[in-house]
Amino acid sequence: DLAVTGARPRWFLAVILVSPGSGEFVVRDIFAAVGVALTEVGAFLVGGHTEVTPVVTRPIVIGQMLGLAEAGRFVATGGVVPGNVVVQVGPAPVEGAAVLAQEAVGRLGGIDTAMRAAAGAAFDRPGISVVEPALLAARLGASALHDPTEGGLAAGLHELADASGVRIRIDRRAVLWFEPGLAVCRALGADPWSTLASGTLLAAFPAATVEVALQAFAEQGYSAAAIGEAEPGSGVRDAAGRSIPRRERDEVDRVLLA
């Protein structure tokens, strides 16, 4: 969330709440996991609060990340203007694939073993962090950035359009899909457009600079594609004018609680 404003994550504060009876190892494991995650993005734990309290039945971590905007430039979600090109960096759904492959493994017997394994390992390969591509996009002059999460790619596009007061017209053929994620969605009857999409970045660029941006992403090893264009209006539609709907409930939640 911080990186898509153009700010590099630097300092993290965490409130950690655990239930009575939790062993010391629980707290140690949480801090160890926090440390690993912060190391991956080059940030540091600088404070917070840890408490044993009966108001929780499982550990909860409430975090606040601080950082500095490179060159002092802040990028807003609502910065898309008509004529901007919307670029997708990283395929979808990555996190949804990992969660469903791990939590609904008993229902995935019809999927190729290698494909199922790739979905289950998606937290690490390709991973769900968009920090570095977001900061690169900011340096390249992105007019808006957004990281789709709950509700999937469709919700992320609607959030980008709503925040900017524009309509986004999408070329369905250009969308980058995570093939193991598609396989899991097909097996479980889930809509990949509305499946948890952490690991994907949406960036808007002026049409005159989008090709330079795409080349820069490729040079850094990021898969990226121009998938749509902003125009006057509202909502998200495809090239044929058909609406790309935003579901009220993420497909991961629906499938796992079915």
Side-chain angles (χ1 to χ4, degrees):
D1 290 341
L2 187 65
V4 296
T5 69
R8 178 171 289 280
R10 286 300 188 196
W11 308 286
F12 186 65
L13 298 96
V15 173
I16 299 175
L17 307 177
V18 298
S19 59
S22 299
E24 182 179 312
F25 72 92
V26 173
V27 178
R28 289 188 179 276
D29 285 351
I30 292 173
F31 274 102
V34 168
V36 170
L38 292 177
T39 298
E40 290 178 356
V41 297
F44 301 89
L45 180 66
V46 296
H49 176 72
T50 306
E51 182 177 335
V52 177
T53 172
V55 301
V56 300
T57 58
R58 65 181 64 185
I60 293 178
V61 180
I62 306 161
Q64 179 182 19
M65 184 73 80
L66 306 174
L68 294 173
E70 298 181 352
R73 179 172 180 266
F74 178 82
V75 183
T77 302
V80 187
V81 298
N84 276 181
V85 175
V86 176
V87 171
Q88 178 189 354
V89 185
V94 174
E95 186 173 14
V99 173
L100 290 173
Q102 294 178 21
E103 299 296 329
V105 62
R107 299 158 61 184
L108 299 176
I111 299 181
D112 174 81
T113 302
M115 191 72 75
R116 188 166 65 246
F123 281 126
D124 298 313
R125 298 183 304 276
I128 62 173
S129 174
V130 297
V131 171
E132 294 305 327
L135 295 176
L136 174 58
R139 293 195 296 271
L140 292 169
S143 55
L145 294 169
H146 190 46
D147 55 329
T149 52
E150 291 184 27
L153 183 61
L157 288 166
H158 276 276
E159 289 161 355
L160 192 64
D162 292 349
S164 303
V166 298
R167 176 185 297 129
I168 296 178
R169 193 171 294 275
I170 295 297
D171 180 355
R172 291 177 182 265
R173 299 168 300 177
V175 171
L176 302 175
W177 293 112
F178 182 52
E179 287 300 327
L182 291 181
V184 168
C185 286
R186 283 193 294 267
L188 298 173
D191 178 5
W193 282 92
S194 300
T195 299
L196 189 58
S198 303
T200 298
L201 173 71
L202 294 175
F205 289 94
T209 65
V210 69
E211 290 302 325
V212 172
L214 290 172
Q215 181 176 348
F217 285 124
E219 290 174 351
Q220 294 300 315
Y222 302 121
S223 59
I227 65 169
E229 185 173 338
E231 59 188 26
S234 61
V236 180
R237 296 184 176 276
D238 64 15
R242 295 170 298 187
S243 175
I244 296 177
R246 176 180 182 176
R247 296 179 184 266
E248 294 184 2
R249 187 179 184 187
D250 189 284
E251 289 288 80
V252 169
D253 181 52
R254 182 187 66 80
V255 168
L256 294 182
L257 295 179

